[in-house]
Amino acid sequence: MATISERLDQLEREIKKPRFRQNRGKANEVNYWVFDYDPKKELEVREWINYMEHKNAKGTSEYTLAVFDMYDLMIDHLEKKHFIDKTAKLEQNRGLSRIMESVRRTLRITDADNVIVSYIAEYIPENAVVFLIGIGKCYPLLEAEEVFNKVLYNMPSRFADVPMILFYPGTYTEQELIVFNEAKEHNYYRAFRIVR
């Protein structure tokens, strides 16, 4: 079994391939990918993403790396709406499921113009490879299946060929999402594992 370092090296090699960035192969399906990893390796994955951002910022790559932290996007929006201050009382009175419902409604997560879609669409550069990170920090307020079905599938069509890679702390079998290798999320079939 490959180490996390070997898998991250393989990921870097993969995103450098022009074929990967041109949405060729896999029957020209949507260009959505999952890099799943052992949650215990979270800090190594974060360090590698920082390394890739700095390396890409030098301008020597054939693509522009765009990193979007789902947690940061969610928290920034909730702070703007003054929702953070209300959550403790809401959880105490109504429970976690009520907070989850309220957060999703505030983010307009079920709408085509949801907050995360709008932000990502505004800031995707030309010739981009997109890393979506922070989904583990969002759980259970925002789950991976929702990122695919309610965020990525609502992206404007001009971004259909942009490769988007969700970094997933857990296991993705191309059928099941198991967050933190403990809790099964909804089944999901349309994204591909980028590295085995």
Side-chain angles (χ1 to χ4, degrees), residues 12-48:
E12 183 176 3
R13 288 191 302 274
E14 190 64 32
I15 64 178
K16 286 180 178 178
K17 295 176 183 175
R19 166 178 59 78
F20 172 75
R21 295 189 313 277
Q22 295 165 356
N23 196 23
R24 298 217 170 89
K26 292 279 189 183
N28 284 333
E29 297 248 5
V30 290
N31 213 357
Y32 303 148
W33 303 87
V34 176
F35 181 82
D36 59 344
Y37 58 92
D38 183 339
K40 294 174 186 169
K41 302 298 182 183
E42 178 69 31
L43 296 180
E44 291 174 61
V45 171
R46 287 185 197 178
E47 187 177 299
W48 181 83

Side-chain angles (χ1 to χ4, degrees), residues 151-169:
V151 174
L152 295 182
Y153 284 111
N154 284 320
M155 290 296 293
S157 60
R158 68 184 182 276
F159 299 116
D161 292 338
V162 175
M164 299 195 186
I165 305 165
L166 177 70
F167 284 77
Y168 187 71

Side-chain angles (χ1 to χ4, degrees), residues 72-90:
D72 289 347
L73 295 178
M74 179 177 69
I75 294 299
D76 287 350
H77 182 73
L78 295 177
E79 285 176 343
K80 286 177 191 168
K81 295 290 185 181
H82 306 288
F83 186 78
I84 300 290
D85 301 332
K86 300 173 189 174
T87 57
K89 189 171 185 177
L90 184 62

Side-chain angles (χ1 to χ4, degrees), residues 1 11 16 33 35 38 40 43 48 60 71 84 92 101 112-114 140 143 155 170 196:
M1 179 177 237
L11 174 57
K16 286 180 178 178
W33 303 87
F35 181 82
D38 183 339
K40 294 174 186 169
L43 296 180
W48 181 83
T60 58
Y71 180 79
I84 300 290
Q92 186 177 28
E101 180 185 317
D113 68 338
N114 75 59
E143 298 178 11
M155 290 296 293
R196 302 275 172 201

Side-chain angles (χ1 to χ4, degrees), residues 116-133:
I116 294 173
V117 168
S118 299
Y119 185 88
I120 292 173
E122 184 176 345
Y123 290 101
I124 290 180
E126 290 292 320
N127 199 29
V129 171
V130 172
F131 286 0
L132 302 172
I133 65 171

